[in-house]
Amino acid sequence: MKKIYKAALILSVAAFALAGCAKKEAAAGSASSSSSSSSSSSSSGSAKAAAAAGTSGGKVLNIYVWNEEFQSRFNDFYAKKLPSDVTVNWVITPNQGNAYQNKLDETLLAQDKAAANDKIDIFLVEADYALKYVDTDYTLDVKKEIGLSDSDLSQQYKYTKDIMTDSKGTLKGVSWQACPAGFIYRRSFAKKVLGTDDPAEVQKQLDSWDKFDAVAAKMKAAGYFMLSGFDDAFRVFTDNVTSPWVVDGKINIDPQVRRWIQQTKEYTDKGYNNKANLWSPESGQGAGKNGRVFGYFGPGWFIDFCLAGWAADDATQPFIAGNGSCGDWAFCEGPQGFSWGGTWICAARGTDNLDLVKDIMYTMTCDKETAKKISEQTGDFTNNEAAMTEVANGSYKSTFLGGQNHLALLLQNAKKIDKSNISAYDQGMSEKLQAAMADYYNGIISEEQAWTNFYTAISELYPNLKK
């Protein structure tokens, strides 16, 4: 059976050799940390399941990630619970060029032969390629093998569990965050052009794409860019598709994808965007004190992990008024509801820290008080409905957003997130399409040629698919 699963992962690597869907990347490398004592929570799995899954009592906890986001959450909200004799080894490999997945795949394939201190204990995945790992034996059953119960998991948003459920109905990973998203805009630009910076009033002028386009024209006339570049609205449209990227073995282009292409070409030609690519320095610079970008689409993690750092003159200091453009931002729902991203914690089969992995999963993704602390201290929308209801209705205010409680606006949207059209092809399709269309937006090639380039790239990446 193990050979079958190894073959499946090898084929999966060949079929889904994709570049990582990115948040801000960290440099490759590793770091170590250790702190004080731990206790395990919730129900336990059977002894037989535990033996198959791994063992407990290891002294090195190996965590594989692609950036520093989870590391910061772990250090701030869990590290104090670590046993004093356990060292955490962070293996951080950037997403670029598929490096993270390549490193992870190589190490997973050697997991059963690795020394105890070298075995992967925890690894993280994103929605765009989660299915690649969910349907293999390299991820442990969260309930039967790790030991979390239905009661433990009851407050997590359903879609976060659906994404990590395999074809047999087995849950293979958990997340500390849910990712309903909206539009984050500059208050001072809104006051100048729209006459108000109040989120409810601004939303009235942005609650449809026709209105959004009209405001884009006004921002252009005032010397601002509505968006930073080509890819800013991509996730809004693709999260609202009514069909997956692949249907019966054929590449499928949903009308929402075509709508993104049409709008982005129009915005580029009319000067409504800054012609920046997502994650480029130019995109981030538009948020600075002297930047001219009106707004960005994104969820809670984007505000905390990306936008705040771009906006600040000094990212090591609090994100408050006076530090760059911090405090001059606000949040509204925008023209169309959507979600974007998310990071899931998976336990690797063969771990020698099974009890510790269980407690990390419970504390970071099931415990209401931890979820509240993460949201209140970072602005991230956490994956606990009870916790988020309390924070949304409480006294929380974001200094970056000028004192706004943006989480209250996201509360209802989180319940509506539907990922039924997600597929294992999402990351590759998205990245190849964005790359192919960039030259079209810049006027270098025709749309027809851009589509030809896209299909050529996809045929090389997924030779099993038909046009």
Side-chain angles (χ1 to χ4, degrees):
M1 180 64 72
K2 181 75 73 174
K3 291 181 179 178
I4 293 174
Y5 281 114
K6 282 189 176 183
L9 184 56
I10 292 170
L11 288 173
S12 165
V13 171
F16 308 121
L18 320 176
C21 164
K23 302 174 187 173
K24 186 176 74 176
E25 302 300 346
S30 64
S32 297
S33 61
S34 61
S35 297
S36 45
S37 71
S38 165
S39 63
S40 195
S41 308
S42 79
S43 60
S44 60
S46 67
K48 181 178 179 181
T55 58
S56 296
K59 302 305 179 186
V60 177
L61 182 73
N62 292 305
I63 304 178
Y64 278 58
V65 297
W66 59 87
N67 65 21
E68 296 171 337
E69 183 187 19
F70 180 64
Q71 184 182 31
S72 66
R73 296 288 187 265
F74 182 95
N75 290 340
D76 291 343
F77 302 101
Y78 186 84
K80 290 181 180 179
K81 296 184 70 178
L82 280 170
S84 59
D85 60 347
V86 172
T87 297
V88 180
N89 179 43
W90 294 94
V91 182
I92 305 176
T93 308
N95 268 329
Q96 288 99 330
N98 206 50
Y100 171 66
Q101 290 183 60
N102 291 342
K103 175 70 173 179
L104 178 59
D105 296 343
E106 178 185 0
T107 311
L108 284 174
L109 290 170
Q111 178 86 335
D112 57 351
K113 296 179 181 179
N117 285 346
D118 295 330
K119 290 182 182 293
I120 301 176
D121 297 294
I122 287 173
F123 65 93
L124 272 55
V125 299
E126 294 181 289
D128 283 353
Y129 56 83
L131 293 179
K132 170 182 172 181
Y133 299 98
V134 166
D135 267 321
T136 74
D137 197 38
Y138 290 90
T139 45
L140 294 181
D141 184 329
V142 169
K143 298 179 184 179
K144 292 183 179 179
E145 295 178 310
I146 296 172
L148 295 183
S149 67
D150 286 333
S151 177
D152 294 333
L153 301 161
S154 64
Q155 290 299 310
Q156 294 186 0
Y157 288 94
K158 182 178 181 297
Y159 91 92
T160 68
K161 292 182 282 189
D162 290 345
I163 287 175
M164 296 302 294
T165 299
D166 70 11
S167 56
K168 298 179 181 178
T170 302
L171 182 64
K172 292 295 199 76
V174 288
S175 179
W176 71 92
Q177 61 188 181
C179 299
F183 188 64
I184 311 110
Y185 63 89
R186 287 286 287 269
R187 287 180 178 270
S188 57
F189 298 179
K191 278 186 177 180
K192 180 179 178 180
V193 178
L194 304 179
T196 179
D197 69 339
D198 179 74
E201 294 303 314
V202 171
Q203 173 62 18
K204 291 177 182 178
Q205 301 187 55
L206 296 175
D207 62 8
S208 72
W209 282 117
D210 286 343
K211 291 182 180 180
F212 195 86
D213 294 345
V215 171
K218 292 179 182 179
M219 287 295 162
K220 169 62 177 176
Y224 303 122
F225 298 109
M226 188 69 176
L227 300 171
S228 74
F230 305 142
D231 312 315
D232 288 37
F234 179 78
R235 293 287 177 171
V236 187
F237 288 107
T238 57
D239 195 59
N240 283 282
V241 296
T242 56
S243 57
W245 278 106
V246 177
V247 177
D248 296 329
K250 294 183 179 181
I251 301 169
N252 174 61
I253 308 300
D254 190 89
Q256 286 287 321
V257 175
R258 296 187 185 278
R259 176 74 178 89
W260 166 71
I261 295 170
Q262 179 270 322
Q263 185 202 68
T264 305
K265 179 60 173 173
E266 178 183 348
Y267 274 38
T268 304
D269 290 347
K270 291 183 176 180
Y272 293 172
N273 67 45
N274 197 27
K275 298 185 178 181
N277 295 106
L278 190 63
W279 313 122
S280 68
E282 294 79 12
S283 181
Q285 288 164 7
K289 181 169 58 179
N290 298 318
R292 293 189 294 141
V293 173
F294 176 52
Y296 296 79
F297 287 105
W301 64 256
F302 178 82
I303 298 172
D304 173 59
F305 198 64
C306 301
L307 186 58
W310 297 342
D313 285 341
D314 186 347
T316 67
Q317 297 300 310
F319 299 134
I320 60 177
N323 185 6
S325 66
C326 296
D328 188 32
W329 295 85
F331 182 94
C332 68
E333 294 171 287
Q336 197 169 14
F338 75 108
S339 64
W340 177 16
T343 301
W344 281 262
I345 305 168
C346 298
R349 184 168 300 281
T351 174
D352 63 341
N353 287 289
L354 194 61
D355 286 349
L356 183 55
V357 170
K358 174 186 174 183
D359 193 56
I360 291 168
M361 284 186 163
Y362 177 84
T363 302
M364 296 299 291
T365 77
C366 301
D367 181 63
K368 186 177 80 169
E369 293 308 311
T370 302
K372 286 178 62 178
K373 289 178 183 178
I374 293 174
S375 290
E376 290 170 345
Q377 293 180 31
T378 71
D380 204 355
F381 192 98
T382 49
N383 191 20
N384 187 296
E385 188 171 346
M388 292 314 305
T389 299
E390 290 187 18
V391 175
N393 294 319
S395 60
Y396 165 76
K397 294 181 179 180
S398 167
T399 56
F400 177 77
L401 297 175
Q404 182 186 8
N405 182 350
H406 65 296
L407 300 176
L409 294 178
L410 296 171
L411 195 61
Q412 293 305 313
N413 288 346
K415 300 177 184 180
K416 302 174 185 176
I417 296 175
D418 178 10
K419 294 293 183 181
S420 58
N421 287 309
I422 196 172
S423 77
Y425 298 96
D426 289 9
Q427 186 177 20
M429 292 289 187
S430 297
E431 292 178 352
K432 294 303 181 184
L433 183 67
Q434 290 171 330
M437 290 297 159
D439 284 342
Y440 166 57
Y441 299 145
N442 280 318
I444 299 172
I445 60 176
S446 66
E447 182 178 0
E448 181 180 6
Q449 184 60 51
W451 279 113
T452 298
N453 294 347
F454 166 72
Y455 284 116
T456 298
I458 291 300
S459 67
E460 294 172 354
L461 186 62
Y462 307 124
N464 57 308
L465 299 181
K466 298 178 181 178
K467 180 176 176 181

